[in-house]
Amino acid sequence: MSAEINTELQHVRDYWLKFMKPKSPIYTFLLNDIQIISATKGSITAHLQVLPVHVNSKGTLHGVVSSCLMDWAGGMSIVSTGLDNSGLSTDIHTTYVSVAREGDLLEIESNASKVGASLAFTTVQIRHAGENGQIVAHGTHTKYVKAK
């Protein structure tokens, strides 16, 4: 899937590939194959194929992966506003709605509803990619973003 490369998308991809991914072993392990497919100011969309490393003993998406996606996507939507800082988590909530299984393609959408001088507020939705778009999990994420 190709996307038109705009300034926000390029900035988010650069931040992910040059700063975040190489410096975060957990993101590298769980989100190594994530694809950022679009970004506008304050919003990102990504795809992740559910792999064996992502599932629990029941064969469904592990809750820790959903929470990791909430954390990651919230930060990326903040970066899409032009910041070179994804922030530090102060509060994160994940609600698990349905399951995903190995082989499923997930679509992760995050929106930064407000990026202030010290705090940013984001919402994240994880759903099955495609026409159905059944929600797997959704949540909110607050991050401390005060500039250095």
Side-chain angles (χ1 to χ4, degrees):
M1 174 177 274
S2 65
E4 183 179 322
I5 305 291
N6 59 29
T7 303
E8 292 87 359
L9 181 57
Q10 189 62 55
H11 180 63
V12 170
R13 284 180 175 171
D14 286 348
Y15 186 84
W16 167 239
L17 293 173
K18 294 176 184 174
F19 179 74
M20 217 172 179
K21 186 176 180 181
K23 293 184 179 184
S24 176
I26 192 69
Y27 284 157
T28 301
F29 179 68
L30 290 176
L31 306 180
N32 190 53
D33 296 324
I34 201 160
Q35 296 179 337
I36 303 165
I37 60 168
S38 68
T40 57
K41 186 173 183 176
S43 177
I44 67 105
T45 302
H47 282 169
L48 179 69
Q49 190 86 39
V50 179
L51 301 174
V53 70
H54 299 135
V55 298
N56 59 26
S57 62
K58 306 289 186 207
T60 61
L61 186 67
H62 198 292
V64 76
V65 177
S66 296
S67 290
C68 181
L69 286 167
M70 295 290 164
D71 184 26
W72 176 84
M76 292 294 95
S77 65
I78 293 166
V79 169
S80 75
T81 67
L83 294 182
D84 289 321
N85 173 8
S86 64
L88 300 169
S89 297
T90 63
D91 188 50
I92 190 167
H93 293 271
T94 304
T95 301
Y96 306 97
V97 179
S98 67
V99 299
R101 300 187 189 291
E102 184 180 338
D104 289 351
L105 181 63
L106 299 177
E107 184 167 277
I108 302 96
E109 184 176 341
S110 179
N111 294 290
S113 49
K114 179 179 181 184
V115 178
S118 59
L119 291 176
F121 303 89
T122 69
T123 58
V124 180
Q125 188 175 84
I126 303 167
R127 62 182 167 267
H128 290 273
E131 290 181 29
N132 180 6
Q134 181 182 24
I135 296 172
V136 175
H138 61 85
T140 59
H141 192 195
T142 304
K143 296 192 104 178
Y144 177 74
V145 294
K146 188 159 179 99
K148 297 176 186 179

